[in-house]
Amino acid sequence: MSAVNVGVIGVGAMGENHVRVYHKMEEANLIAISDVNERALKRIEKKYETTGYTDYNELLENPEIEAVSICVPTTFHHSVVMEAIKNKKHVLVEKPIAFTLEEAEEMIAAAKEAGVILATGHVERFNPAVQKAKELVDDGVIGDIVSAFAKRVGPLPPRIKDVGVAIDLAIHDLDVMNYLFDENIVQVYGVMNSILDDCEFEDHAEIMVSFDNESTGIIEVNWLTPYKRRELELTGTDGIISVDYIEQSIDVFGKFAQDIEIKHEEPLKEELKSFLNAVENDQEPEITGEDGLKALKMVIAANKSSREHKPISFDEL
């Protein structure tokens, strides 16, 4: 595989991670970065020996660049992605794919028309523990999945200003459950609220998702807990799979209880490697724009449910 020429737009906390990983990868040739914060831009430009632009359009107009990671705040995803597509760049946009369903649908349609890849950055799918859980589920190790419970909690991150905890955190587990269950979503129910004075959006939420096979997923997220926890438990007819996202570990209990060995990898590295492989081989990415749209749709349904105090049919949106 030859190296793909890449750029990164938005070099905040997550964007700098993209820059760091691309800089190390044999599959990538980091050409340029962009950010409106000139001080941060210069620091990262120097650290990773690349070219920086305060105007992302200058980066997109560079004919050398084949693909871009877009890591700007959610409310700017649509405008930046549409410009990237207009410039015939393959795109990996950080989750959530967009701020609204209409924006996401327009991005997906534009990418198809332009003949470029649009991938969504749901990094937990590339967590080795999630990949192993998928393998065990598909092999029937715990029988048929009955339910899943996810807990993703921690303190309020100062970098998050434009969205609430559901779209920032819960969307990870909604996407993972959709991936593991591999069933159509029927209904979403959400309860959420805000307690913190310095948080404009909801800072805690509980979400329940019903799937076509009558299994359910329950998610608890908050920015209130003083410690960070990222856990998922899958209950099946023959046992339980317990996943720790942070430790990248799995425990299996039940009829086929077993010790699971997992080779630890950085999920972001695996995600970017997958994206570049899709670009190089002109393939559909592992996590498509449509996958990003479905995850966003679940979060929007949960928000609507919380406002209206009733379950929301997935087909209503």
Side-chain angles (χ1 to χ4, degrees), residues 97 101 104-105 108 120 122 125 171 174-175 177-179 182-185 188 209 211 288-301 314 317:
I97 186 172
L101 297 179
E105 288 164 353
I108 291 166
T120 313
H122 284 280
R125 284 237 212 143
I171 198 167
L174 289 167
D175 177 70
M177 287 182 186
N178 180 59
Y179 171 60
D182 197 23
E183 292 281 344
N184 292 325
I185 299 123
V188 181
V209 182
F211 291 87
T288 63
E290 286 83 358
D291 290 327
L293 174 63
K294 186 179 284 188
L296 178 62
K297 196 172 180 180
M298 284 189 274
V299 174
I300 288 175
F314 201 62
L317 299 177

Side-chain angles (χ1 to χ4, degrees), residues 260-276:
I260 304 295
E261 289 188 12
I262 294 175
K263 182 182 177 183
H264 289 209
E265 299 285 357
E266 182 177 4
L268 180 60
K269 179 183 176 183
E270 298 306 302
E271 177 180 80
L272 298 185
K273 190 185 295 184
S274 171
F275 171 55
L276 296 182

Side-chain angles (χ1 to χ4, degrees), residues 273-287:
K273 190 185 295 184
S274 171
F275 171 55
L276 296 182
N277 182 65
V279 171
E280 181 70 13
N281 295 294
D282 193 25
Q283 297 174 344
E284 187 174 83
E286 287 190 59
I287 305 180

Side-chain angles (χ1 to χ4, degrees), residues 186-204:
V186 177
Q187 187 173 264
V188 181
Y189 179 67
V191 177
M192 52 191 75
N193 214 323
S194 180
I195 294 173
L196 300 172
D197 292 336
D198 52 353
C199 186
E200 184 180 344
F201 301 92
E202 81 281 349
D203 52 36
H204 63 101

Side-chain angles (χ1 to χ4, degrees), residues 1 9-10 14 23 49 58 91 106 129 143 145 165 168 190 194-195 234 247 294-295:
M1 176 179 174
I9 301 176
M14 195 64 199
H23 182 69
E49 303 173 325
E58 291 185 60
V91 174
E106 187 177 347
I145 297 182
V165 71
D168 183 57
S194 180
I195 294 173
L234 302 167
E247 296 297 324
K294 186 179 284 188

Side-chain angles (χ1 to χ4, degrees), residues 3-163:
V4 176
N5 291 338
V6 299
V8 178
I9 301 176
V11 292
M14 195 64 199
E16 184 173 357
N17 281 326
H18 280 243
V19 173
R20 172 182 57 80
V21 174
Y22 278 138
H23 182 69
K24 292 180 180 178
M25 290 175 68
E26 293 180 0
E27 298 91 341
N29 180 24
L30 181 65
I31 299 291
I33 61 174
S34 175
D35 200 280
V36 294
N37 184 328
E38 194 168 351
R39 184 176 178 182
L41 182 69
K42 286 183 176 179
R43 177 182 64 81
I44 296 167
E45 179 183 25
K46 182 179 180 181
K47 183 176 180 179
Y48 296 101
E49 303 173 325
T50 188
T51 301
Y53 300 102
T54 53
D55 182 354
Y56 68 83
N57 285 293
E58 291 185 60
L59 182 152
L60 293 174
E61 288 165 4
N62 186 331
E64 285 188 78
I65 295 175
E66 303 167 78
V68 291
S69 280
I70 294 177
C71 310
V72 298
T74 303
T75 46
F76 298 107
H77 281 190
H78 176 260
S79 58
V80 180
V81 168
M82 292 299 284
E83 283 300 318
I85 291 170
K86 190 186 298 182
N87 282 274
K88 300 290 185 180
K89 309 301 184 189
H90 300 291
V91 174
L92 170 64
V93 59
E94 265 299 333
K95 65 81 194 165
I97 186 172
F99 195 63
T100 69
L101 297 179
E102 293 76 18
E103 288 177 348
E105 288 164 353
E106 187 177 347
M107 289 155 58
I108 291 166
K112 286 181 178 176
E113 186 176 345
V116 298
I117 289 169
L118 175 61
T120 313
H122 284 280
V123 71
E124 289 288 26
R125 284 237 212 143
F126 294 91
N127 189 312
V130 172
Q131 292 286 315
K132 188 63 179 180
K134 176 66 171 172
E135 180 186 320
L136 294 171
V137 167
D138 289 349
D139 287 346
V141 169
I142 60 167
D144 296 326
I145 297 182
V146 176
S147 64
F149 176 75
K151 189 182 188 77
R152 188 174 292 265
V153 299
L156 175 68
R159 64 185 176 84
I160 302 295
K161 301 293 182 185
D162 61 338
V163 295

